[in-house]
Amino acid sequence: QVQLVESGGGWVQPGGSLRLSCAASGRSFENFAMGWFRQAPGKEREFVATKGWLGSTSHANSVKGRFTISRDNAKNTLSLQMNNLKPEDTGIYYCTAARTLRATMFEEEVDYWGQGIQVTVSS
């Protein structure tokens, strides 16, 4: 059973920080890109960041300079350090994996999805 399990979400005030983690299990993710998507209430799901198997990264323009994706290939874990959080960052964050050597990831090519974890940024 392949699973991607997110942790580390919660509530934080604007300007604060959170670190999301994703534990992947059930198979090797060699040659997979892994990343994060998010969905705010009433909005479409959007790309956040990805990291390729060989180490290349991609971050959405809306989070560049604030979010940093990292990955431990040996442990099949993925993290997202989120700094200077804004209310518009609120939403459900999904850990994802796609069988591609590219750092970029399109929603339609995602092979595995986590169940998501809530991030709320408010005063």
Side-chain angles (χ1 to χ4, degrees):
Q1 179 71 38
V2 175
Q3 288 187 300
L4 304 178
V5 181
E6 301 95 340
S7 62
W11 171 85
V12 67
Q13 295 186 77
S17 298
L18 286 173
R19 184 177 177 87
L20 301 182
S21 295
C22 172
S25 62
R27 66 161 296 155
S28 170
F29 287 87
E30 181 178 1
N31 299 323
F32 279 71
M34 297 188 69
W36 299 89
F37 285 75
R38 69 185 181 187
Q39 187 168 26
K43 296 184 178 180
E44 296 181 347
R45 190 155 51 195
E46 65 177 353
F47 165 80
V48 177
T50 53
K51 191 170 183 69
W53 174 253
L54 298 179
S56 296
T57 62
S58 180
H59 295 77
N61 288 335
S62 59
V63 306
K64 284 182 179 177
R66 300 188 298 119
F67 291 12
T68 303
I69 191 169
S70 60
R71 179 176 180 176
D72 187 331
N73 290 347
K75 296 181 178 179
N76 279 347
T77 57
L78 184 75
S79 297
L80 185 69
Q81 179 65 46
M82 305 185 293
N83 298 325
N84 191 25
L85 283 159
K86 303 175 180 180
E88 51 262 44
D89 295 317
T90 293
I92 300 174
Y93 284 68
Y94 298 89
C95 180
T96 60
R99 192 178 181 87
T100 175
L101 293 176
R102 303 190 315 273
T104 55
M105 184 182 297
F106 300 101
E107 184 172 347
E108 56 266 31
E109 68 181 345
V110 172
D111 293 301
Y112 303 104
W113 292 86
Q115 292 193 347
I117 191 165
Q118 180 70 42
V119 171
T120 302
V121 185
S122 69
S123 300

